[in-house]
Amino acid sequence: MSKLLTVSREEILHQIKLSCQIPSVIEGIATRKILANTAQELGIKVEPEELQIAADNIRLINNLRRTDDTWLWLQKHSLSLDEFEESVYATVVSSKLAQHLFADKVEPFFVEHQLDYAFVVMYEVVLDDQDLAMELFYAIAKGEISFPSVAHQYIQDTELRRTGGYRGTLSRKALKPEISAAVFAATGPQILKPIATSSGVHLIWVEELIQPRLDELIRYKILSDLFSEWLKGQIEQFEIEIELNSNDNGSNPDVQLLVKAGL
């Protein structure tokens, strides 16, 4: 038979303090208030249909396919239906605000920063000896040995050796500046002259350069980044006063949402 353990509201708050989560919690509260206030100022409204779609998506993500599953999930997280509705509202209004504020700024931002969205498919072997690296570079360039053979012989890491030194599809920001400059100046496929960094001497095979293209994934990332930066700036404008004894639940009485029996 299980034992009953009672946890008070004060103990929950105390645990949040002990876990050093107060700053993130406060930031979350500030974010919610800023979103709600800005949406009201701009006249952005959330329709019931939009809330329902978002709620259904949340249920799908959490595999809540039955009404009972949803109620158990709410209970687990100590959420009332009204609080769940408030959470869904914040998600929807955040998305609508991002679109309203920055949808027309995505393409100009991409044009200005498109080099940041170029990618390279590359392989790499890091050596300790500059002379050895140059010797292998010339041998590969002349076709006397293949890059996979070099990788198999000189890479210590088992998994990396098995993939022939494959680093994946990388952006400029994922590489050290001195490596990035040489890699993105290549045409591919080609072997690059060894590059010395603090990590060693890098022997790199550039397989392909992927030119930047404003697809939906990149569009979404830019929109999210612009909105996050704006939100960060908004939060920094406020001097936040913490009242730990207050009881402001911030509920939104205009939000009405159904927990449907099926999807």
Side-chain angles (χ1 to χ4, degrees):
M1 183 176 180
S2 60
K3 298 179 180 180
L4 178 64
L5 178 64
T6 302
V7 178
S8 68
R9 180 175 300 183
E10 289 73 20
E11 287 175 313
I12 293 174
L13 176 58
H14 187 57
Q15 181 60 36
I16 292 175
K17 290 180 179 180
L18 294 180
S19 303
C20 301
Q21 296 180 36
I22 287 291
S24 62
V25 171
I26 296 302
E27 183 176 333
I29 295 171
T31 297
R32 177 169 53 83
K33 289 178 177 289
I34 289 170
L35 292 178
N37 292 340
T38 306
Q40 184 176 10
E41 291 171 3
L42 296 175
I44 294 176
K45 296 182 179 180
V46 176
E47 302 299 331
E49 295 80 6
E50 295 173 310
L51 289 172
Q52 191 64 68
I53 291 172
D56 290 343
N57 287 337
I58 291 173
R59 293 180 63 205
L60 273 174
I61 291 171
N62 290 280
N63 198 29
L64 307 175
R65 299 188 175 276
R66 300 180 305 169
T67 303
D68 289 346
D69 295 333
T70 302
W71 288 117
L72 287 172
W73 183 84
L74 291 173
Q75 185 179 23
K76 174 183 178 182
H77 296 281
S78 298
L79 287 171
S80 67
L81 183 56
D82 286 342
E83 289 166 336
F84 177 62
E85 292 170 351
E86 185 181 356
S87 173
V88 176
Y89 172 85
T91 299
V92 176
V93 82
S94 176
S95 177
K96 296 191 74 169
L97 264 177
Q99 288 290 336
H100 180 86
L101 294 172
F102 299 107
D104 60 344
K105 296 178 174 59
V106 169
E107 190 166 342
F109 184 91
F110 173 76
V111 171
E112 185 178 352
H113 300 87
Q114 60 180 307
L115 292 180
D116 294 336
Y117 298 96
F119 292 89
V120 61
V121 180
M122 58 175 275
Y123 297 75
E124 180 182 50
V125 176
V126 182
L127 302 160
D128 296 327
D129 190 323
Q130 175 76 37
D131 292 336
L132 174 61
M134 289 299 299
E135 180 183 335
L136 293 171
F137 163 72
Y138 286 116
I140 294 172
K142 294 177 182 179
E144 297 173 356
I145 190 173
S146 68
F147 192 93
S149 296
V150 171
H152 184 76
Q153 185 173 350
Y154 291 97
I155 292 179
Q156 301 299 318
D157 181 87
T158 303
E159 293 303 317
L160 191 59
R161 183 173 66 248
R162 287 173 176 170
T163 59
Y166 179 61
R167 287 287 311 279
T169 302
L170 305 175
S171 67
R172 286 176 177 268
K173 294 180 180 179
L175 299 170
K176 293 185 177 182
E178 57 267 46
I179 293 178
S180 174
V183 164
F184 284 93
T187 55
Q190 72 178 87
I191 182 71
L192 300 186
K193 191 173 181 179
I195 304 168
T197 73
S198 57
S199 301
V201 185
H202 302 253
L203 195 60
I204 296 172
W205 175 266
V206 175
E207 180 176 284
E208 178 186 6
L209 288 175
I210 303 174
Q211 297 304 318
R213 183 172 64 90
L214 187 56
D215 55 19
E216 287 306 310
L217 184 61
I218 296 298
R219 184 180 297 275
Y220 176 78
K221 185 180 187 313
I222 293 175
L223 185 67
S224 298
D225 289 345
L226 290 175
F227 184 65
S228 296
E229 195 63 28
W230 170 83
L231 189 55
K232 179 182 177 182
Q234 293 295 307
I235 294 174
E236 290 175 348
Q237 292 180 22
F238 290 89
E239 181 178 344
I240 300 175
E241 181 180 353
I242 303 175
E243 297 180 4
L244 294 180
N245 294 325
S246 66
N247 187 26
D248 177 16
N249 58 18
S251 60
N252 189 332
D254 296 327
V255 175
Q256 294 184 354
L257 186 68
L258 298 176
V259 179
K260 298 192 292 188
L263 294 173

